[in-house]
Amino acid sequence: MAAYTAYLLIGGAHQNQDGIIADKMVYLSENGRPALVLDTPKGGDERGPVWIPTLEDPIEDALLYVSACILEDEEILKSLAKHFGKEGVLYVEMHELCSEEERKILYRLNRERLKEYESLKVVFTILQGSVFRKNIPVLKNYEFDMEVCLSIYERFHSPWREEAVITGDLDIDKYIG
């Protein structure tokens, strides 16, 4: 069974306070290889499209997924259409979809398209072992509302060491300005 190592809440910013009014969630599932899976905050048995992101640009792939599968942006879908196989948006392996150069062009287009969604907010929750962690700086290239939440404390039982492993700190004063 794969573990979820990150998720994105997609919705709009609340007009009077911080937070998000989320209507979609994208999970990053990791086991043998990462996969992006769509769901709603209410849950249910029905899952949305599955995309396998590249290891080099998983956050860019996730944001392309948001534009194609959630926002259904016409320009993004048109640009992707020539690359899709018979599955369309329902199953995509990004490393096989197109060349690296073509992906870079899609990423640039996506950054421009996402500027048009003034009410869009995305909250990234990224756990310790996520493939997303090394790519967080790419978010500086995007101009929509966002929050990035990283774990500050982890405690888990290690069956190999037969003990609890603790990393981080719960002294919240260190993190509040």
Side-chain angles (χ1 to χ4, degrees):
M1 179 181 208
Y4 294 123
T5 62
Y7 65 90
L8 287 61
L9 294 176
I10 296 96
H14 190 279
Q15 63 192 16
N16 297 323
Q17 57 191 0
D18 289 341
I20 184 170
I21 301 169
D23 55 358
K24 301 285 187 207
M25 296 170 37
V26 175
Y27 293 99
L28 176 66
S29 169
E30 292 190 68
N31 194 6
R33 62 182 177 170
L36 298 163
V37 182
L38 177 66
D39 198 1
T40 64
K42 295 177 182 166
D45 294 333
E46 208 172 300
R47 293 286 188 251
V50 174
W51 285 25
I52 308 301
T54 61
L55 296 176
E56 300 80 23
D57 299 300
I59 291 178
E60 298 261 33
D61 295 333
L63 292 171
L64 199 55
Y65 180 102
V66 167
S67 291
C69 301
I70 296 172
L71 301 174
E72 297 177 345
D73 184 273
E74 287 184 32
E75 281 191 50
I76 293 297
L77 288 171
K78 182 179 170 186
S79 294
L80 286 169
K82 61 185 169 193
H83 301 291
F84 284 146
K86 63 181 178 180
E87 298 284 334
V89 296
L90 295 179
Y91 182 81
V92 174
E93 293 196 32
M94 287 302 295
H95 65 282
E96 292 181 1
L97 182 69
C98 54
S99 70
E100 181 179 353
E101 184 177 310
E102 290 170 312
R103 277 197 318 275
K104 299 293 183 193
I105 291 168
L106 286 168
Y107 299 153
R108 281 194 299 277
L109 173 62
N110 196 39
R111 286 192 286 274
E112 289 302 313
R113 293 301 307 144
L114 286 172
K115 287 180 188 178
E116 302 297 318
Y117 293 87
E118 293 177 9
S119 63
L120 175 68
K121 182 171 184 176
V122 179
V123 176
F124 298 82
T125 301
I126 303 171
L127 303 181
Q128 203 64 11
S130 178
V131 70
F132 278 3
R133 285 186 82 87
K134 67 179 181 188
N135 293 106
I136 293 170
V138 77
L139 291 170
K140 293 177 186 175
N141 298 323
Y142 288 87
E143 296 183 26
F144 57 83
D145 290 351
M146 71 176 79
E147 287 190 41
V148 178
C149 307
L150 300 175
S151 56
I152 60 167
Y153 179 82
E154 182 179 28
R155 181 181 195 277
F156 63 94
H157 179 76
S158 171
W160 295 278
R161 293 164 80 182
E162 295 186 3
E163 66 182 7
V165 176
I166 298 172
T167 58
D169 191 335
L170 290 176
D171 183 3
I172 197 70
D173 291 336
K174 291 180 179 180
Y175 306 104
I176 297 176

